[in-house]
Amino acid sequence: MRDPVKSALPRLSPHRPWHAEVTPGSLRKDAFAGLTGAAIVLPQGVAFALIAGLPPEFGLFSAIVITVVAALWGSSRVMVSGPTTAISALVFATLSAFAAAGTPQFIALAITLTLMVGLMQLVAGLAGLGALIAFVSHSVIVGFTAAAAVLIAVSQLPAIVGVTTAGGGGVLERLAHLLPELEALHWPALAIGTLTLASVALIQRIDRRLPAFVLALGLGSLAAQLPIWPSGQISFFAPLTSTLPALTAPSLDLALWGQLLPGAAAVAFVGLLEAISIGKSFAARRGERYDSNQELVGQGLSNIVGSFAHCYAGSGSFTRSGVNMESGAQTPLAAVFASGFLLAALLVVGPLLRFVPVPAMAAVILYVAWRLIDLAEIRHIAQGGGSEVLILLATFLTGIFSELDFAIMVGVVVSLVVFLRASAQPLVAVGAPTNVNGRRVIRNAEALNLPECPQIRMMRVEGPMFFASIEHIEREFDRIEARAPSRQTRILGLKGVNKIDLTGADFLTRCARAQGRDLHLIAGAAPTLRALDRFGVTRAIGPANLHSHKTEAIAEAVRRADDNICAQCQLRIFTECAGKPGPTDTE
């Protein structure tokens, strides 16, 4: 048995398989991709920090430090990490309940939250919990992201109309604070915001390769300098307090950690879900291997290091990762180059932030929020119907009427309940032979109304036979038996059973010992055979009643069938019935 400590330690090593693939040619391609990525993230970093309620430099520092660490220790070759819209909205929603956005207390809480998130993610990666993410429905993220987009949009409305409202709260509470203030809206701020919003939408429509955010902010800033506006009607950003990341000290107050724990867990979970889903998607496109647990370690280390360098929690960015791949990135060094170029640009462009009007940036964030709602995916889920729609609505509506971190919890719980319900209701079907292209195949007798043998009933189970599913399986068996209880022999296919526990084995043993019944099992997988042996099922039914293929089971069941009944049977269901006495033999 592998030592879990020894198997986890290599994940902390900076040595990664892609190091051997670095060549002068790959470095040139990575440098070009990094330059493109830096141009995109400059306005994004500022916008994301403002969404999180933090000073602009926090988004830029996160796009430098977190990006480098996650790239060097993660698993994906092209995924770029850093500040994201969903994480930013969740950080804002979590911390605004404790302090006003942008205040020193709020900043200190954000730094501590980032450390907690990183530790949770690192422990999850070292413990090998990456596979558990697959059990959470994608609809949770779709619903959460849509709710986050609505919250982001509502939180930017006061800046666009030039009014000040009470901070904090969810969507409905913020709207309640905004509506009474609309009478005092400032038309210059609304004009600048509208111009910027129209500009970014138009530029994106003309050519998505253009730096729409930068150009729109430039137009908004130029318009704000026109002498037509009354003095004091348009607010501008304060200059950056720093253009280089500085050391920070997260709080180690356990009482504070206890208060932040639910929010930190939600941020950590959303970050991991984003990173793994993005990483897997791009790895599949490029035909590369992907290690979810290594990605958890990379994300955890990046947030831990970031918490000491004026950063806030980050994750994988689909937009930046897509641009990175399309720009020709070969290795994670492309993300490292992007961080270096961003740092250089920050030293040059950083002082210009004081010329950007607040309504213009709010308009850009409003556009980001709109783009965050994946209408195509929502339609796709709605067309599929069923449990995925329930998961989507539960997550979205909880985010609208309550808090975002609680919406994640609700979405995860509903997702797991749906999974467990599906696991507890495996398919139990009755089979009968039919001819398809000259070959005998077993099809669903109930669905296709196929005739069945008077003495032999063929059945199969698709799914786990464990403590949670046996009650459902037993009900299905009773329902099927009630249709025609006279059949003395059961052939039960277990090739679709992926798990048998003690409760499932006890059920099979009871079936085997039922008076007047003969049970034949079809099982070929080694784990299933071992479970049948370990729990005593093989001994209970007898080795002669355990078969590796349905042909063997049918032949043995037909051989044991009552000849007197066969002599009166007109159906002759199985080809093996040719060896039994039939109506022509008695005439």
Side-chain angles (χ1 to χ4, degrees):
M1 186 175 181
R2 296 182 63 188
D3 186 340
V5 176
K6 289 184 178 180
S7 62
L9 286 179
R11 300 190 183 280
L12 296 174
S13 169
H15 181 70
R16 302 261 62 85
W18 57 266
H19 289 177
E21 301 175 14
V22 177
T23 64
S26 71
L27 286 174
R28 285 193 298 271
K29 293 180 180 179
D30 286 340
F32 177 78
L35 182 61
T36 305
I40 288 177
V41 77
L42 183 60
Q44 278 189 344
V46 174
F48 291 158
L50 297 176
I51 290 173
L54 293 165
E57 57 265 29
F58 273 76
L60 298 171
F61 296 159
S62 299
I64 295 172
V65 178
I66 287 179
T67 300
V68 170
V69 178
L72 296 180
W73 269 270
S75 177
S76 175
R77 303 293 182 92
V78 297
M79 187 177 74
V80 181
S81 297
T84 69
T85 318
I87 294 292
S88 301
L90 191 51
V91 168
F92 173 70
T94 299
L95 300 182
S96 58
F98 299 95
T103 61
Q105 184 184 1
F106 188 96
I107 294 172
L109 290 173
I111 293 171
T112 302
L113 183 77
T114 303
L115 175 62
M116 294 175 65
V117 168
L119 289 173
M120 290 179 182
Q121 293 174 333
L122 178 61
V123 170
L126 295 178
L129 301 181
L132 295 181
I133 300 296
F135 288 94
V136 179
S137 170
H138 173 63
S139 299
V140 174
I141 285 296
V142 176
F144 164 78
T145 305
V150 175
L151 178 63
I152 292 168
V154 171
S155 67
Q156 297 305 310
L157 292 179
I160 289 180
V161 298
V163 300
T164 302
T165 61
V171 173
L172 299 182
E173 187 176 352
R174 289 177 181 277
L175 286 175
H177 291 158
L178 174 63
L179 292 176
E181 304 294 334
L182 290 180
E183 295 180 357
L185 67 84
H186 294 167
W187 291 105
L190 181 60
I192 296 297
T194 303
L195 172 65
T196 307
L197 182 61
S199 299
V200 70
L202 181 61
I203 295 170
Q204 287 278 57
R205 195 175 188 84
I206 294 173
D207 191 341
R208 296 187 65 85
R209 293 172 296 181
L210 294 173
F213 292 169
V214 174
L215 295 176
L217 286 174
L219 289 173
S221 300
L222 289 175
Q225 301 302 321
L226 296 175
I228 60 175
W229 313 114
S231 176
Q233 292 288 298
I234 301 175
S235 56
F236 293 84
F237 283 101
L240 294 180
T241 58
S242 173
T243 54
L244 291 174
L247 288 178
T248 53
S251 172
L252 300 179
D253 183 355
L254 294 182
L256 176 62
W257 281 43
Q259 292 178 311
L260 295 178
L261 185 59
V267 174
F269 178 79
V270 172
L272 295 183
L273 204 55
E274 279 191 320
I276 290 179
S277 60
I278 293 171
K280 281 185 176 180
S281 173
F282 284 106
R285 294 186 195 182
R286 293 166 58 91
E288 298 169 345
R289 296 186 62 182
Y290 184 76
D291 186 343
S292 297
N293 291 313
Q294 185 62 51
E295 192 61 59
L296 299 193
V297 171
Q299 294 295 320
L301 287 175
S302 69
N303 283 315
I304 291 173
V305 174
S307 68
F308 292 92
H310 261 92
C311 304
Y312 73 99
S315 181
S317 167
F318 191 87
T319 301
R320 293 179 65 194
S321 302
V323 171
N324 192 44
M325 186 181 74
E326 294 297 329
S327 301
Q330 300 297 303
T331 73
L333 289 179
V336 178
F337 278 121
S339 297
F341 289 134
L342 177 60
L343 181 61
L346 183 58
L347 297 174
V348 176
V349 181
L352 301 179
L353 182 65
R354 60 192 180 91
F355 296 108
V356 177
V358 172
M361 184 63 74
V364 169
I365 296 175
L366 192 64
Y367 181 81
V368 170
W370 165 249
R371 297 291 298 176
L372 197 61
I373 301 176
D374 193 341
L375 295 177
E377 185 63 19
I378 291 174
R379 283 194 296 268
H380 178 67
I381 293 173
Q383 289 169 357
S387 58
E388 293 300 317
V389 175
L390 174 63
I391 295 170
L392 174 66
L393 288 176
T395 308
F396 175 74
L397 294 177
T398 304
I400 296 298
F401 292 101
S402 183
E403 302 294 336
L404 280 181
D405 53 354
F406 185 56
I408 281 290
M409 304 301 178
V410 169
V412 169
V413 168
V414 175
S415 182
L416 292 178
V417 167
V418 168
F419 168 76
L420 292 174
R421 184 175 180 274
S423 299
Q425 294 184 339
L427 172 68
V428 179
V430 181
T434 186
N435 189 290
V436 177
N437 297 327
R439 186 171 61 92
R440 180 176 72 173
V441 294
I442 306 299
R443 290 287 188 257
N444 192 311
E446 290 182 303
L448 301 177
N449 196 27
L450 299 176
E452 298 178 61
C453 174
Q455 299 187 71
I456 302 171
R457 169 167 286 129
M458 294 195 67
M459 303 170 66
R460 64 185 172 94
V461 177
E462 299 282 346
M465 295 186 70
F466 70 130
F467 65 93
S469 66
I470 290 303
E471 183 178 350
H472 168 76
I473 294 174
E474 198 161 10
R475 282 199 306 268
E476 287 295 288
F477 270 50
D478 292 341
R479 178 188 64 79
I480 292 169
E481 288 296 329
R483 293 171 55 240
S486 63
R487 294 175 175 84
Q488 294 87 13
T489 301
R490 291 173 178 166
I491 299 176
L492 180 58
L494 300 181
K495 290 192 173 182
V497 174
N498 52 21
K499 176 181 176 56
I500 299 178
D501 69 355
L502 181 59
T503 307
D506 287 345
F507 171 73
L508 293 175
T509 301
R510 291 198 307 272
C511 291
R513 293 173 177 170
Q515 187 174 7
R517 297 286 187 183
D518 190 19
L519 177 65
H520 295 261
L521 298 181
I522 304 172
T528 304
L529 294 174
R530 286 196 296 267
L532 295 176
D533 283 337
R534 186 170 68 253
F535 295 125
V537 178
T538 304
R539 185 173 60 253
I541 68 170
N545 283 31
L546 183 60
H547 310 277
S548 61
H549 195 272
K550 61 178 177 290
T551 302
E552 300 173 11
I554 293 172
E556 182 62 20
V558 171
R559 187 186 68 80
R560 299 184 193 181
D562 189 329
D563 287 348
N564 293 324
I565 299 177
C566 289
Q568 306 301 319
C569 179
Q570 300 282 346
L571 295 173
R572 319 302 284 178
I573 296 296
F574 304 106
T575 55
E576 291 82 356
C577 294
K580 302 292 285 185
T584 56
D585 298 326
T586 59
E587 292 176 356

